[in-house]
Amino acid sequence: MLAEIRIDGLGVISAASARFHPGFTALTGETGAGKTMVVTSLHLLGGARSDAGRVRTGAERAAVEGRFILDGLPADTRASVAEIVDAGASEVDEDGSIIAVRTVGRDGRSRAHLGGRSVPIGLLGRLTGHLLAVHGQNDQLRLLRPERRRHALDTFAADEIGPLLEHYREARRSYGAARDEYAERTERARELAQESDRLRLGAEEIAAVDPQPGEDDAIAAEVRRLGELDSLREAAEYVHAALSGASSFAGEAEGIADLASGARGRLGNVDDPALRAFVPRLDELAVLSSDLAGDVAGYLADLPSDGRALDDLLQRQSELKGLTRKYAADIDGVLDWARDAEERLSGLDLSEGALAELAHRVESLRGELADAASVLHRARASAAAKLGEAVTEELAGLAMGTSRLAAQVDLIAAADDDPWRITVDGAQVHAAADGADAVDLLLGSHPSADPLPIGKTASGGELSRVMLAIEVVLAGRGGGGTLVFDEVDAGVGGRAAVEIGRRLARLARTHQVIVVTHLPQVAAFADAHLVIGKEVGEEGARSAVRDLDDEERVGELARMLAGLDDTETGRAHAEELLATASEDRAGRPTARP
């Protein structure tokens, strides 16, 4: 909901701020006091085009700051808002609110800030588009935009249309993916054939060499070792001779093992216990040196007797390097490339049979998409009749008793070269992202008149009341968000004005409602009442917004009753209006004239 707003340097408003009730807030004031500027400021927060001419005379810029409370929004709206906040790297305050700011300079340049961060104006508009909807006499966008009309219909029958729409979207995604794959295979046949040959030859070359994981590193280490073969053999022979004495290195001398055995034999013939204590250790030395001599002899036996082993390793290393030069930095990367190539080859079947099978699948999915579009179209057509009846019933209480609204659902015709052309009920139609339907709203001024598109036949006041009627009908099918109505009561009076107030109060049960009005019958139903006052001083005209208490509210309603604020009759009538509205909001029966 919109908690508060501050306006600086916009039109007749020098500086003003206002807090809004979570339910129904009425905004009143004399003509020219600046009510239009409040609506304009909300438009600016909604991302509307800026107009330097709106900047107050003498001011360098106009600024609008709104604080929105995000708690209590529907789950889908909350998720969308969180995504937008993250996209702008914006920050939500500790109380769950976020501040949106829009400035317009005298040079016409405009800037936007969200949560303390500078953001594109489009991003600001996306956020407030989820939170705020402004319905003015000249604001026909919501009803004149085809996607908004379709959205209203889908919201009205969400339980029936929602699952069908999701099924349609999934069918469209599947068909689009298969169609794109077929187009790629046919239009890029030569390129794909060349890619297939390259992958196949590479996979075959790698398979012929048959590298093993980590083999290049292992061979490199072995090559380094065998490059020092002579020095390794010389060192091992010397060690073996030292241990066993069986080598020219030791001449005719005995080795360590023989010497240890001889020493052990000498000690076996003495009687001194202290000297005989060395016998076990000499036994251990003899065994260890003998075992070590055997191990060194084995090492010598395993050493290549000539250079052929090294030549074989160098040849294998050359084969592996041939692969790493072409496919990856090491053999593990080469093996990954081969696996990826096999997977890619499995999806590049360019045979006529494979293409025919894919073409058949494309046509099958096109048929499924057409079936889903047909079912969705029939559901929307059925819901459109019910929506028209419900809105017409609401219009009866909004000074449009003879008018009737009809929601019409037509299939969108497709051009011959339309890539999304499908056949529905024998017609060639365009499968758009949200169905093959165009939803229009038609308004007839009386039962016998042919309904015409609402954008061509409705006046500004009628269009606002149609918006109100639709919002009331949809109110029970979703809550949250802020709805702003600018003089929705234009050209209305008497009992019809009371009915408008009653319907706005009903709408405020599920939405925050802000209404700019001239009618006391409408303002009386509000939960809070703000008045814009105009003052003329040396610096020119300026406006300020005040929150009225109960006594002030009686005076304002009396003023709106043909300027009767200074009479007992006017105040009595205002108090009666407030009492009637209060009883109605409380659910108690009200007296009817």
Side-chain angles (χ1 to χ4, degrees):
M1 60 165 275
L2 178 62
E4 58 184 307
I5 190 172
R6 177 177 177 81
I7 306 170
D8 292 294
L10 186 66
V12 297
I13 299 179
S14 174
S17 61
R19 295 177 178 270
F20 294 102
H21 191 277
F24 179 5
T25 299
L27 190 62
T28 64
E30 294 281 4
T31 300
K35 299 187 299 298
T36 300
M37 289 300 101
V38 175
V39 177
T40 299
S41 69
L42 296 177
H43 275 296
L44 288 173
L45 286 181
R49 176 178 293 229
S50 61
D51 181 2
R54 296 288 191 180
V55 178
R56 180 177 171 82
T57 302
E60 290 300 318
R61 65 188 181 102
V64 181
E65 178 180 313
R67 184 169 67 88
F68 293 90
I69 296 177
L70 305 182
D71 295 338
L73 295 173
D76 56 343
T77 301
R78 193 163 54 249
S80 298
V81 167
E83 180 181 344
I84 295 170
V85 170
D86 289 342
S90 306
E91 295 183 4
V92 177
D93 290 343
E94 293 180 357
D95 61 355
S97 67
I98 191 167
I99 296 177
V101 180
R102 179 81 181 276
T103 60
V104 181
R106 182 159 295 283
D107 58 0
R109 300 180 64 181
S110 178
R111 292 179 176 84
H113 291 78
L114 183 62
R117 298 276 187 171
S118 178
V119 297
I121 293 172
L123 188 68
L124 177 67
R126 282 176 56 200
L127 176 86
T128 53
H130 288 288
L131 306 176
L132 186 69
V134 182
H135 304 300
Q137 287 205 52
N138 296 319
D139 177 29
Q140 303 175 356
L141 292 179
R142 280 176 63 87
L143 289 184
L144 298 185
R145 288 163 54 188
E147 65 272 16
R148 297 307 303 172
R149 297 194 296 263
R150 186 195 62 247
H151 177 73
L153 178 60
D154 291 351
T155 302
F156 175 74
D159 292 342
E160 297 81 11
I161 292 177
L164 299 179
L165 179 56
E166 185 56 37
H167 174 66
Y168 168 86
R169 288 170 174 164
E170 182 59 35
R172 190 177 187 271
R173 283 192 290 268
S174 298
Y175 165 69
R179 185 198 62 190
D180 292 345
E181 182 181 357
Y182 180 77
E184 180 185 29
R185 289 197 184 188
T186 53
E187 295 175 6
R188 298 179 54 219
R190 169 183 260 176
E191 180 181 344
L192 293 176
Q194 292 174 345
E195 181 182 2
S196 177
D197 290 342
R198 179 180 64 83
L199 294 174
R200 184 174 292 104
L201 290 174
E204 291 174 353
E205 181 180 10
I206 294 171
V209 175
D210 191 23
Q212 301 303 310
E215 185 181 1
D216 50 344
D217 292 335
I219 287 180
E222 185 67 10
V223 166
R224 285 193 299 272
R225 190 176 77 90
L226 295 183
E228 302 173 354
L229 182 61
D230 291 340
S231 60
L232 293 175
R233 180 178 287 108
E234 181 179 345
E237 288 177 344
Y238 183 87
V239 172
H240 186 265
L243 293 169
S244 64
S247 175
S248 60
F249 285 100
E252 298 300 325
E254 294 180 297
I256 294 174
D258 293 334
L259 291 172
S261 296
R264 196 272 182 225
R266 294 288 294 274
L267 292 180
N269 298 322
V270 299
D271 293 330
D272 183 7
L275 189 58
R276 287 179 62 85
F278 295 120
V279 170
R281 295 168 66 183
L282 285 170
D283 287 341
E284 183 180 359
L285 176 60
V287 172
L288 288 175
S289 58
S290 178
D291 289 344
L292 181 57
D295 291 341
V296 173
Y299 173 82
L300 283 167
D302 290 338
L303 286 176
S305 59
D306 54 35
R308 284 181 296 177
L310 179 59
D311 290 341
D312 292 342
L313 285 175
L314 292 174
Q315 176 63 32
R316 179 63 175 173
Q317 189 178 51
S318 177
E319 293 176 351
L320 297 179
K321 286 184 176 180
L323 297 180
T324 55
R325 280 195 300 268
K326 290 183 180 180
Y327 304 107
D330 54 30
I331 288 301
D332 288 346
V334 170
L335 293 173
D336 289 338
W337 187 95
R339 283 190 291 269
D340 292 342
E342 292 293 342
E343 292 179 5
R344 178 64 175 157
L345 283 169
S346 66
L348 285 178
D349 188 352
L350 302 178
S351 65
E352 293 185 2
L355 286 176
E357 182 180 350
L358 182 55
H360 176 74
R361 182 167 179 266
V362 170
E363 289 306 311
S364 176
L365 290 174
R366 187 202 298 268
E368 293 180 13
L369 176 60
D371 291 341
S374 179
V375 173
L376 179 61
H377 173 71
R378 289 195 295 270
R380 280 174 169 162
S382 175
K386 298 175 183 177
L387 175 63
E389 293 173 359
V391 175
T392 297
E393 184 177 347
E394 286 295 327
L395 291 177
L398 297 175
M400 296 177 67
T402 61
S403 300
R404 60 188 179 94
L405 185 86
Q408 180 174 296
V409 181
D410 295 315
L411 292 168
I412 305 173
D416 293 339
D417 58 349
D418 188 346
W420 291 101
R421 187 176 72 252
I422 59 175
T423 303
V424 176
D425 298 338
Q428 298 296 306
V429 303
H430 171 70
D434 295 305
D437 303 312
V439 178
D440 205 354
L441 296 179
L442 310 177
L443 185 66
S445 58
H446 54 83
S448 61
D450 293 332
L452 296 174
I454 195 167
K456 297 180 179 179
T457 186
S459 64
E462 288 175 330
L463 186 58
S464 294
R465 276 172 271 164
V466 172
M467 287 178 178
L468 173 59
I470 292 176
E471 295 291 359
V472 171
V473 169
L474 298 182
R477 293 167 170 80
T482 300
L483 302 174
V484 181
F485 294 95
D486 181 17
E487 300 189 11
V488 69
D489 48 21
V492 179
R495 183 176 297 180
V498 174
E499 288 299 322
I500 290 177
R502 181 174 290 118
R503 280 160 173 77
L504 289 168
R506 186 193 311 170
L507 186 58
R509 297 172 186 170
T510 54
H511 296 73
Q512 182 188 34
V513 177
I514 301 172
V515 179
V516 177
T517 181
H518 287 291
L519 292 181
Q521 297 95 327
V522 172
F525 278 87
D527 301 298
H529 192 150
L530 303 179
V531 64
I532 300 182
K534 183 177 181 181
E535 301 174 354
V536 180
E538 294 180 358
E539 298 180 357
R542 59 183 300 273
S543 296
V545 182
R546 293 189 300 112
D547 189 355
L548 303 182
D549 59 26
D550 292 343
E551 184 65 23
E552 291 172 326
R553 191 173 182 186
V554 170
E556 173 64 8
L557 292 180
R559 179 198 65 77
M560 297 170 70
L561 289 165
L564 300 177
D565 51 317
D566 292 331
T567 68
E568 290 297 326
T569 301
R571 296 183 65 85
H573 192 179
E575 290 173 349
E576 182 182 0
L577 270 178
L578 285 170
T580 300
S582 178
E583 291 176 356
D584 190 90
R585 290 200 308 273
R588 295 191 296 269
T590 57
R592 297 289 181 183

